[in-house]
Each structure stands twice: as C-alpha cells, then as structure tokens.
C-alpha cells in the first residue's frame, strides 16, 4: 500500500505538487488522472525517490522506498517507456537490473517471455518501438515480483491487443492482493481498468473515489430530446436555469431539467416526443468537468506567452 | 511480436517479493556486478578501451621509430637530453582524452538515455551506484592502461635500439606504472565530473578544459602568478609520475600525483553531492 501525506514539490517558484494526501489500497487497481502538468509523473517519481519532496512524505509498505532492503521486490515501477541505455540489449538491461538484487537469470527469462519480447531480447533497445519499450519497462517492473506496481501511462504506444493485455495484467495483479497504481490520460481506459480513481489538478487532490461514484456524481442533467416540433418544445422548456441546444431540426440537448420534467412540459404543451434519453456522463466528461478550472495548458492560451513552468517529463502525453 | 499470454507464476504470493532463491536484496557487491555487466554489455566500452590502448601503443611506437631513424640528424644537445622513457610513453597524453571521454560517457550516457531512472530505481540509496561505477571503470582502465604502458615501453625501447634503455633504468619502472596510474586517476576525475555535470557535452568540455586548456591559459599569466598555479593544475601535477626528466618548477613525481588525486577526489565529492541531492 502507498501512503502519500502532505506531499509537496516545488520546481523553483512553481508548485508542481501541492500538499497532496491519499492512500492507494492493495487488492484493486487505482487510476491516477489529471490533465497534462497536473503533477502525476512528479508524484510517482517522488514515490520511487527519483524526485525529492520539498515537504511531506510518500510511504510504501511502511517505509520510504529507499529504506527498503530490496526495493524492486516492494515496488515495480514503469515511469517512462525508455529508461534504458539504447545500445544495450533488452536481456542485458534486465540482467543488469536483476543483478543489483541477486535475482537470477531464470527470472529474467521468465519476464521476457511474459511480456512477449523473446524474439527481440538480444537486440539493442535503441531499435525498439514505443510498444516494445513499454513491454520491456513492464518486464523490468515485474522483475522483483513486487507487492506494489506504479505505472505511468503503461498503455502508451501499445496496439489494441497490447492494451488489453496490460489491462488484464493489472487486474490480475490486483486480484492477487497487490497494490496497483496506474496513471493514464485515456479516461475510457481507466473506466475499464480502475475500480478506484484519484484525480489531481495543478498538484492538488480533486477526487479520491470509486470509479462508479465519480461518473454518477459528475453526471450533469443532460437529456437528449427528439421531437418533430423541436423549436416549439424549446420555447416551452425555456427557464432561468435551463439551457436548450438545438442539435438539428428535430433534436435538442437539454441541460438543467430531468427527463421526467421535460416529459411533463411536453405533455402540457401538446408536443409529440420521439425520444427522451438521459445522457450518462462518461468518465471523460466527468474528468473534464472536474479539472476544467485547473487545466495547466489551455488550448486558448496559445496567444499568451506560456508560463515558465514545469511540464511533466513524460514526452508521450 | 508474438502474442503474450498472461500467466502468473505460482511463486507470486499475495504480498509479492517471494522470488525463489535466498536473500534477494541489494548489496554493494551485487551493485558492482550490475555495473560490471553494464560496462561489458555496451559495445562502445570495448571499442573505446581498444582505441585507447591502440592509440597509446601505436603513437608511442611511431615516435620511438622516428627518433631512432633520425638519430643521425639530431644535434649534440638534443642527443644529450634525449629521454628514451619519455618518448616511449608520450601518447599517454593522447590516451587520457579517450579514457576521459569514456569516463564521462559511462555516467552521462545513463542520464542522456534515461537509464539512470532504472538504475536509481533499483538502487535508490544511490551512493552504491557511484562506488560501483568508479570501481569497475577504474579496474578496467588499470588493466588496459597497464598493458598499453608496458607494451609501449618495451616496444618503444626495442625500436630505439641502442638508444633505448631498460626497465631497470632509474625512474623507468615508476614511469611505466605511473602512466597507468595517471590514466586511472583521469578515469576517476572524469567520472566525478560526469556525475556532477550529468550531460555528455558539458562533461567532456569540462574534463578537457581542466586537463588540456587550463594549463595553456595559466601559462599566459604573469610569471609571478603562473609559477604558483601552473604546477598544481591537474594534468601538470599528475603527469610528473610518468616523466623521468621533469621540467624545472614542476612538483616531485609522487607529490604531483598526490595533488592530481586531490583533484580527482574533489570531482568525486562534487559528483556524489549532485547524485544525492539532485532529482534524477
């Protein structure tokens, strides 16, 4: 289990992570979401001790990561796809990492086979595709049979089959009772993989909640309506907190009213309805809504000079 | 790529960390082994060490051959001060460039490729990585430099023929060993700079600046300053160990070597401070 307490990281004057506190529980996949520059990678790097917190702490299985005698057996981390010397072969890379813990070559071969790199294990990593690099990173993360997995964007660059494989791997590891903490910018991916979601924006905690609750709480009242006399219905629906968007000649999107209320108004005004569908907000929308005010790099900000700030180091986001 | 299938090994206990094999944990000896594997699994290590040895032996032999074949054209003064040991080890100056580049690259290559994140992820206490890298690289340098220095000396003396000398000549053994020791300290110095600067171009520029450019700059100073600074510069102080006929005003061989070692230790201290305090 991972315990993050009041974790703060400043890069110069810029606050990348701001008094962040959360627990990542074992036995389930926990998703870690946030817009670019929200501080996800920095938080993960502080958990592994690559970045030193300005204040606060990140505790893994009772100790700071660096205090464990066998760190690779406590936490398996994939923080960027190619944290590998490009001139070395995949097999030699894994052997060198395994050697630091006295982990044998048999385990290295098992991991190569597990991630499906057997054909290319003797080749230089420099020639690997992003997907192959991710698989090598996952093999490295699993070397020590760790109780905790920390993975930054593990499905980046993988083909659909690879994405499904990672999803199943994460679920299986969680089912074994391990702690699985995974960041992604693919919200739909998280909806299918994570049972619990932690959302941050501008380094601050925005949500720490079961995935289902996040979706339902963020579902705004949006109803799709189809009616032959759509414009007349729109007039009848108008009110102070109601927004009606005309989608086409016969369809509307109504914000601010429930489907029951719309049905009642339609009956009262004698409008025939062909469709009345409450829209379930996707996780993506829930996420956008939640982080709307904290997005670091708005597309509209292009004209303004970019703030000299810390951009997350994952170049693939 | 073949379709990977998901199979959980039976030893994967619910809390993890249950690999077969006793005593899975980080030890300094294991980090040495890891760094040794890293050094020998990079093809560039082999090329570069080979290049260093080949350049040193090749140039030394060429110099000795040239000296011997032009002996008749040399003036009496030149013959009187002729230094057969020095001529057979002249290319140590050349080899230090190659060793210095490789020493910086052994560190900066990890930062440049992102490998350092994997390295420090496995050994988060960090300093064992520094000791291991220093040890394996200095050991490799020592072996290569020793072979090259003795080959240069014996080959060079053979080519000098009657103008050559033997290992029992005063200062000869110290000079040959000294050339190898000098290159070892160059490797420590350059790795310390590598850890401190972390960037290949910056690291190499700093090493070359301190070893090669600085002496030239200091010689441009007024003599009253220069005489107090020049002998203590790293390459000037250190190279006395492989020179028999030293220039006046330079330090005694072992004193100078000690000064060079202090430079190297300072570089390593700077490097370890950066390693421990800066984000990777």
């Amino acid at each position: 289990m991972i315990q993050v307490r009041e974790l703060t990281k400043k890069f110069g004057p810029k606050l990348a992570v701001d008094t962040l506190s959360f627990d990542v529980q074992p036995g389930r996949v926990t998703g870690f979401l946030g817009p670019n520059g929200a501080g996800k990678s920095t938080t993960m790097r502080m958990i592994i001790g690559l970045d030193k917190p300005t204040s606060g702490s990140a505790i893994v299985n009772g100790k700071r990561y660096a205090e464990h005698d066998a760190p690779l057996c406590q936490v398996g981390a994939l923080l960027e796809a190619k944290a590998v010397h490009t001139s070395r072969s995949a097999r030699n890379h894994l052997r060198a990492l395994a050697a630091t813990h006295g982990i044998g070559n048999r385990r290295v071969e098992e991991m190569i086979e597990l991630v499906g790199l057997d054909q290319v294990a003797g080749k230089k990593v420099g020639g690997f595709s992003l997907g192959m690099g991710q698989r090598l990173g996952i093999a490295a993360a699993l070397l020590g049979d760790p109780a905790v997995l920390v993975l930054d964007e593990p499905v980046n660059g993988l083909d659909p089959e690879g994405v499904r494989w990672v999803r199943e791997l994460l679920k299986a590891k969680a089912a074994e009772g391990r702690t699985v903490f995974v960041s992604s910018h693919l919200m739909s991916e998280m909806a299918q993989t994570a049972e619990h979601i932690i959302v941050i924006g501008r380094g601050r905690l925005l949500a720490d909640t079961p995935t289902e609750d996040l979706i339902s709480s963020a579902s705004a009242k949006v109803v799709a309506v189809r009616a032959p006399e759509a414009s007349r219905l729109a007039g009848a629906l108008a009110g102070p907190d109601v927004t009606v968007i005309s989608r086409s000649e016969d369809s509307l999107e109504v914000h601010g009213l429930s489907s029951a209320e719309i049905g009642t108004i339609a009956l009262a005004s004698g409008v025939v309805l062909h469709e009345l569908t409450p829209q379930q907000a996707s996780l993506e929308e829930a996420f956008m809504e939640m982080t709307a005010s904290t997005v670091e790099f708005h597309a509209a900000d292009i004209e303004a000079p970019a703030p000299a700030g810390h951009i997350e180091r994952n170049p693939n986001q | 790529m073949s379709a990977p299938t998901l199979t959980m090994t039976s030893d994967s206990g619910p809390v993890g960390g249950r690999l077969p094999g006793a005593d899975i944990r980080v030890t300094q000896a294991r980090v040495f082994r890891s760094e040794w594997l890293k050094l020998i699994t990079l093809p560039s290590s082999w090329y570069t060490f080979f290049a260093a040895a080949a350049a040193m032996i090749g140039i030394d032999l060429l110099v000795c051959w040239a000296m011997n074949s032009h002996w008749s054209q040399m003036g009496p003064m030149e013959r009187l001060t002729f230094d057969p040991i020095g001529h057979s080890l002249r290319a140590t100056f050349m080899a230090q460039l190659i060793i210095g580049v490789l020493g910086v690259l052994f560190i900066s290559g990890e930062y440049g490729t992102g490998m350092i994140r994997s390295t420090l992820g496995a050994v988060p206490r960090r300093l064992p990585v520094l000791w291991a890298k220093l040890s394996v690289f200095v050991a490799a340098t020592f072996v290569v430099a020793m072979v090259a220095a003795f080959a240069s000396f014996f080959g060079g003396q053979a080519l000098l023929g009657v103008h050559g000398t033997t290992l029992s000549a005063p200062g000869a053994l110290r000079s040959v060993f000294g050339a190898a020791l000098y290159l070892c300290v160059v490797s420590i110095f350059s790795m310390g700079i590598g850890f401190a600067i972390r960037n290949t171009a910056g690291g190499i520029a700093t090493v070359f600046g301190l070893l090669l450019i600085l002496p030239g700059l200091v010689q441009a100073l007024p003599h009253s300053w220069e005489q107090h600074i020049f002998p203590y510069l790293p390459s000037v102080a250190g190279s006395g160990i492989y020179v028999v006929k030293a220039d006046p005003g330079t330090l005694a061989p072992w004193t100078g070597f000690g000064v060079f070692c202090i430079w190297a230790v300072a570089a390593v201290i700077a490097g370890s401070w950066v390693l421990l305090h800066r984000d990777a």
Side-chain angles (χ1 to χ4, degrees):
Chain A
M1 121 169 228
I2 305 169
Q3 294 160 299
V4 170
R5 291 290 173 272
E6 306 277 308
L7 197 62
T8 300
K9 178 69 179 179
K10 276 184 178 170
F11 291 105
K14 182 169 161 59
L15 211 48
V17 175
D18 186 0
T19 54
L20 196 57
S21 296
F22 59 80
D23 286 351
V24 184
Q25 301 288 350
R28 68 187 185 200
V29 177
T30 301
F32 194 30
L33 298 183
N36 287 346
K40 302 189 297 293
S41 296
T42 305
T43 302
M44 287 182 152
R45 291 164 52 81
M46 284 193 282
I47 292 170
I48 306 304
L50 291 178
D51 281 0
K52 189 176 272 203
T54 306
S55 63
S57 65
I59 301 294
V60 184
N61 294 338
K63 290 181 188 171
R64 284 196 307 117
Y65 179 69
E67 288 164 354
H68 286 287
D69 288 335
L72 290 184
C73 301
Q74 296 296 332
V75 182
L78 169 71
L79 292 189
E80 55 196 296
K82 285 190 175 175
V84 179
H85 203 298
T86 41
S87 310
R88 201 174 277 123
S89 74
R91 177 176 283 114
N92 284 330
H93 170 71
L94 293 174
R95 283 185 175 178
L97 288 184
T100 59
H101 282 57
I103 296 169
N105 287 345
R106 220 192 65 186
R107 176 76 183 172
V108 169
E109 295 306 318
E110 281 173 15
M111 291 304 101
I112 288 171
E113 204 178 316
L114 174 71
V115 301
L117 286 179
D118 359 13
Q119 303 295 316
V120 294
K123 299 225 166 78
K124 282 184 182 181
V125 179
F128 277 24
S129 68
L130 184 56
M132 288 152 81
Q134 290 285 24
R135 287 171 192 266
L136 177 58
I138 290 168
L142 296 175
L143 262 185
D145 190 27
V148 176
L149 284 172
V150 174
L151 309 170
D152 198 1
E153 307 266 356
V155 301
N156 238 351
L158 291 181
D159 51 19
E161 182 207 84
V163 171
R164 203 188 62 218
W165 170 72
V166 168
R167 191 185 299 159
E168 283 171 16
L169 177 78
L170 298 182
K171 285 179 175 169
K173 290 291 173 190
E176 289 168 9
R178 296 170 207 259
T179 305
V180 180
F181 190 41
V182 53
S183 79
S184 176
H185 66 284
L186 298 174
M187 306 310 147
S188 50
E189 177 58 35
M190 284 292 96
Q192 293 179 66
T193 315
E195 295 163 65
H196 196 88
I197 293 215
I198 291 169
V199 185
I200 63 170
R202 290 212 175 146
R204 283 196 215 101
L205 189 69
L206 297 178
D208 181 352
T209 175
T211 310
E212 285 175 25
D213 291 3
L214 181 65
I215 298 171
S216 59
S217 73
S219 289
K221 276 192 201 166
V222 180
V223 183
V225 181
R226 219 150 50 80
E229 296 177 277
S231 56
R232 193 156 75 83
L233 179 62
L237 293 173
D241 296 323
V242 181
T243 312
V244 180
I245 300 162
S246 178
R247 285 275 169 233
S248 69
E249 214 162 278
D250 69 339
S251 71
L252 304 171
E253 192 182 284
V254 183
H255 297 250
L257 288 171
S258 70
S259 48
E261 288 165 331
I262 296 169
T264 307
I265 294 169
L267 180 62
S269 18
V271 175
V272 175
L273 292 183
H274 288 177
E275 187 194 339
L276 189 59
T277 315
Q279 303 288 292
Q280 171 88 345
S282 68
L283 188 59
E284 188 102 35
E285 286 161 347
F287 168 74
M288 301 265 281
E289 189 173 306
M290 183 175 293
T291 59
S293 62
T294 67
V295 172
E296 185 83 347
F297 309 109
H298 277 292
D301 283 347
I302 284 168
E303 288 166 7
H310 169 67
I311 297 168
E312 279 190 275
R313 298 183 196 190
N314 190 332
N316 308 314
Q317 281 190 344
Chain B
M1 198 181 309
S2 65
T5 50
L6 188 65
T7 49
M8 290 301 130
T9 47
S10 56
D11 56 67
S12 301
V15 295
R18 291 188 187 168
L19 290 179
D23 197 26
I24 302 280
R25 64 191 174 87
V26 178
T27 64
Q28 182 69 65
R30 286 170 173 168
V31 182
F32 284 137
R33 203 183 124 63
S34 172
E35 289 301 331
W36 179 250
L37 276 173
K38 281 190 197 168
L39 183 66
I40 64 172
T41 55
L42 280 185
S44 58
S45 312
W46 295 94
Y47 305 146
T48 317
F49 273 124
F50 181 79
M56 189 163 153
I57 298 169
I59 294 172
D60 283 335
L61 295 190
L62 190 67
V63 166
C64 291
W65 171 81
M67 282 317 226
N68 193 46
S69 58
H70 286 72
W71 188 265
S72 57
Q73 296 153 38
M74 281 162 63
M77 196 58 200
E78 203 176 352
R79 291 186 189 185
L80 197 65
T81 58
F82 181 71
D83 173 10
I85 300 168
H87 277 97
S88 70
L89 295 171
R90 182 87 359 138
T92 308
F93 191 75
M94 174 75 199
Q96 75 174 345
L97 302 190
I98 303 174
I99 295 293
V101 168
L102 191 56
V104 170
L105 270 179
F106 193 40
I107 317 301
S108 65
E110 292 222 359
Y111 281 96
T113 57
M115 178 67 201
I116 193 72
R117 259 82 79 184
S118 294
T119 301
L120 299 182
V123 188
R125 284 177 188 160
R126 299 193 178 188
L127 268 192
V129 173
L130 182 131
W131 301 132
K133 278 196 184 292
L134 285 175
S135 310
V136 302
F137 192 74
V138 170
T141 303
F142 182 74
V143 171
V144 172
M146 203 58 99
V147 169
F150 274 98
S152 288
F153 180 81
F154 287 118
Q157 301 315 318
L159 286 173
L160 284 172
V162 292
H163 311 299
T165 183
T166 64
L167 205 54
S168 53
L173 189 61
R174 189 255 298 155
S175 292
V176 177
F177 260 102
L181 289 179
Y182 176 79
L183 291 176
C184 285
V185 180
V186 166
S187 75
I188 296 171
F189 181 71
S190 59
M191 274 187 286
I193 300 280
F195 271 113
I197 307 254
R198 315 208 297 187
N199 165 284
T200 301
I204 289 174
T206 306
V207 167
F208 283 9
L210 290 172
L211 290 183
L212 305 182
I213 313 294
L214 199 57
L217 291 179
V218 169
Q219 278 181 319
L221 291 174
H223 182 68
S224 57
W225 294 8
E226 185 248 308
Q227 61 180 345
H228 296 297
I229 302 173
F230 188 75
Y232 299 95
L233 297 178
S235 54
V236 178
S239 56
I241 193 75
Y242 65 88
V243 171
V244 176
K245 295 188 177 171
D247 295 333
T250 54
L251 301 171
W254 288 104
T255 311
F257 187 70
V259 170
F260 189 30
C261 287
I262 291 171
W263 279 94
V265 168
V268 169
I269 289 172
S272 39
W273 190 90
V274 169
L275 179 67
L276 286 176
H277 291 91
R278 271 190 68 184
D279 294 339

